[in-house]
Amino acid sequence: MDKLVIKGGKKLQGEVNISSAKNSVLPILVATILNGNNCTIENAPMLEDVFVICEVLKSLKANVSIDKINNKVKINTANLFDNDANDELVRKMRASFLIMGPMLGRFGNFKISLPGGCNIGTRPIDLHLKGLSALGAEISVGHGYVEAKAKKLRGSNIYLDYPSVGATENIMMAATLADGETVIGNAAEEPEIVDLARFLRAMGAQISGEGTDTIRILGVKDFKEVVYKPIYDRIEAGTFMITAAITKSLIKINGADGVHLKPIIAKLTEMGVAIEINENSIIVDGRKKLNPVDIKTMPYPGFPTDMQAQMMSLLCTVKGTSIITETIFENRFMQAVELKRMGANIKIDGRSAVIEGVDTFTGSEVTATDLRAGAALILAGLTAEGATTISDIYHIDRGYVSIEQKLKGLGADIERVSS
Ligand code: EPZ
């Protein structure tokens, strides 16, 4: 298994290019199930999760080709048929559950393994199923599977108990082939929802309201060929913004979108980080002394839960007391245990973490427990005294394209070693 070895304390400089958003590309690849024509996704991030969702589509007999040189994924689902998706793959990555809506919409019947939970929480799917049954599907759950049946989905008014990103995506995709209009109330407003809606519209869907809490979808009969370029990854961009802050460096981040990054920009500015927002890039200057702040994760446009672990690493190095409240997932402080091995002073109390800043991290052997916790350990390693070795970095490879190459390009002393 590969490991990352980081020698901390280096000042960084230069520019980094952000890849396309993992959490856009995954639902967009799934949405090709609806469309029996050629779909081309350009500038696709060559990530483990993208390869897994392509394998899931192949298990449904989709024609998938991944061009790793030109970062393109071409999919044709004309020959798709409703056999069961590969259970092992579905359990491996919960985003695979997003195929339920499109498969139900296209075939009127689909059975899939219940998605596993993951380290950060149980990750229920009740809101997905409630939405699909509101569209007329008959849902049955048993023996580790969920099956949905509907001769023809019919548009409906759905009000989500919680603005779930995945439930909004599943319902939105299914509704594009339903009879009549569907209104999703209390919908998720994340930029990745907007990107999926734009992709669906590009292939002929009739959707409006994406990016607000009310999305309207008018069912259509069929779709057309589409070529699409997803948005940049705001969480990768935010991770590199914190890279600049934690190493007290000045870095230019190309592809960063100042609108999508508003909650992160607001918090880092509050801490004293100097941020310059340009058309397609952001310059982050973390060279000044920083102040502690409190963070509360919320659905977009609040502070993103996917940036919580990275922020924890930064706050561990800022003198004073900071409090992080994680309101989205019930077990998303696992990075704290590893950060404490590196000398952090963190007290966890349920959904809150109280952080007392320390002078510096000390390099240690640590383990990535999930994608963003792994990113947090890299950030801590970049500023730690001595060497930090991070194992189980397959978690990190799920969501960051060549992260050690990008950091090396900024002057970091980081190596990927095979053990
Ligand atoms: C998406 O997960 C992202 N994943 C997550 O990113 C992200 O953390 C999350 O949205 C929140 O922004 C992808 O887009 C592939 P949710 P998702 O449904 O859709 C509860 C990363 O690091 N809930 O908005 O699963 C759920 O338990 C990953 O890139 C229900 O109760 O998130 C959680 O507490 C991690 N019932 C909350 O809602 C449901 O039916 C948010 O979940 C669905 C969700």
Side-chain angles (χ1 to χ4, degrees):
M1 299 279 262
D2 290 357
K3 295 186 178 188
L4 286 175
V5 180
I6 305 168
K7 292 198 179 70
K10 305 262 297 206
K11 283 282 172 283
L12 307 185
Q13 71 282 321
E15 304 189 18
V16 63
N17 298 324
I18 299 303
S19 302
S20 289
K22 165 179 83 84
N23 292 348
S24 259
V25 171
L26 295 181
I28 284 172
L29 290 170
V30 167
T32 62
I33 288 171
L34 297 160
N35 185 348
N37 301 294
N38 290 330
C39 300
T40 304
I41 313 303
E42 297 185 328
N43 200 30
M46 292 297 121
L47 288 167
E48 190 51 34
D49 274 12
V50 168
F51 303 145
V52 170
I53 210 81
C54 286
E55 286 306 310
V56 170
L57 292 171
K58 281 182 189 167
S59 75
L60 296 170
K61 306 295 175 235
N63 187 336
V64 182
S65 72
I66 301 175
D67 175 350
K68 293 185 179 179
I69 308 294
N70 300 302
N71 289 341
K72 268 187 196 174
V73 179
K74 291 187 179 170
I75 297 179
N76 184 301
T77 62
N79 301 324
L80 210 62
F81 63 90
D82 58 344
N83 70 337
D84 296 349
N86 178 306
D87 286 352
E88 193 193 327
L89 288 172
V90 168
R91 277 199 295 273
K92 182 174 178 181
M93 185 178 68
R94 61 170 277 103
S96 315
F97 190 73
L98 291 174
I99 66 176
M100 172 57 98
M103 289 298 285
L104 179 64
R106 181 162 166 184
F107 294 105
N109 178 348
F110 191 59
K111 181 178 170 188
I112 188 172
S113 164
L114 280 166
C118 69
N119 292 341
I120 65 175
T122 52
R123 314 291 293 272
I125 54 166
D126 57 308
L127 300 177
H128 297 242
L129 301 183
K130 220 168 137 185
L132 296 178
S133 80
L135 294 175
E138 193 190 305
I139 307 275
S140 54
V141 180
H143 309 291
Y145 287 87
V146 56
E147 185 166 14
K149 288 182 184 160
K151 274 201 181 31
K152 180 71 179 153
L153 294 176
R154 62 175 189 283
S156 171
N157 278 339
I158 298 162
Y159 194 86
L160 292 176
D161 300 348
Y162 177 89
S164 154
V165 170
T168 302
E169 292 167 341
N170 231 330
I171 297 164
M172 190 160 73
M173 290 189 281
T176 58
L177 284 175
D179 270 342
E181 183 182 53
T182 297
V183 180
I184 307 174
N186 197 24
E189 304 177 26
E190 274 70 4
E192 294 76 27
I193 300 277
V194 175
D195 211 21
L196 174 60
R198 285 194 185 134
F199 173 75
L200 290 168
R201 194 180 299 121
M203 58 184 223
Q206 294 199 25
I207 294 182
S208 61
E210 69 276 5
T212 75
D213 64 358
T214 305
I215 300 176
R216 293 173 184 280
I217 306 106
L218 188 61
V220 295
K221 293 274 174 280
D222 51 30
F223 297 106
K224 58 185 192 282
E225 191 160 322
V226 62
V227 178
Y228 193 77
K229 186 169 177 291
I231 57 173
Y232 287 104
D233 194 316
R234 62 192 168 101
I235 305 302
E236 184 191 16
T239 304
F240 278 101
M241 291 175 75
I242 294 185
T243 299
I246 206 167
T247 59
K248 303 194 180 314
S249 309
L250 187 146
I251 290 174
K252 186 180 181 200
I253 302 169
N254 298 318
D257 181 316
V259 174
H260 296 164
L261 287 161
K262 268 186 183 167
I264 300 156
I265 291 168
K267 270 302 161 187
L268 290 176
T269 305
E270 191 184 330
M271 292 179 71
V273 179
I275 297 172
E276 180 190 321
I277 302 168
N278 304 313
E279 181 69 23
N280 290 307
S281 65
I282 284 185
I283 296 173
V284 182
D285 183 349
R287 295 176 295 184
K288 291 200 184 71
K289 184 178 175 309
L290 302 181
N291 323 301
V293 290
D294 294 343
I295 302 279
K296 182 175 183 180
T297 64
M298 294 293 280
Y300 192 88
F303 191 89
T305 175
D306 292 350
M307 284 298 303
Q308 178 261 109
Q310 300 92 309
M311 204 61 175
M312 181 180 279
S313 291
L314 175 59
L315 292 171
C316 286
T317 66
V318 174
K319 271 263 165 281
T321 305
S322 303
I323 298 174
I324 295 182
T325 307
E326 170 57 61
T327 72
I328 311 291
F329 291 108
E330 65 267 31
N331 187 34
R332 205 169 194 178
F333 284 144
M334 283 179 295
Q335 68 279 354
V337 173
E338 301 302 306
L339 292 172
K340 286 195 269 191
R341 287 171 58 80
M342 298 177 73
N345 180 342
I346 309 169
K347 285 186 184 54
I348 305 293
D349 176 11
R351 294 268 185 141
S352 289
V354 180
I355 299 156
E356 291 298 337
V358 294
D359 289 339
T360 179
F361 284 115
T362 51
S364 308
E365 306 229 339
V366 290
T367 302
T369 51
D370 62 82
L371 168 54
R372 308 303 174 182
L377 296 177
I378 291 176
L379 292 167
L382 289 172
T383 186
E385 258 169 24
T388 299
T389 301
I390 305 173
S391 51
D392 289 3
I393 59 172
Y394 60 86
H395 287 292
I396 302 170
D397 292 335
R398 292 188 51 186
Y400 291 93
V401 176
S402 314
I403 190 154
E404 76 275 12
Q405 299 305 332
K406 292 188 178 184
L407 286 167
K408 266 187 191 173
L410 294 170
D413 183 341
I414 179 170
E415 292 299 335
R416 179 184 289 255
V417 296
S418 298
S419 56

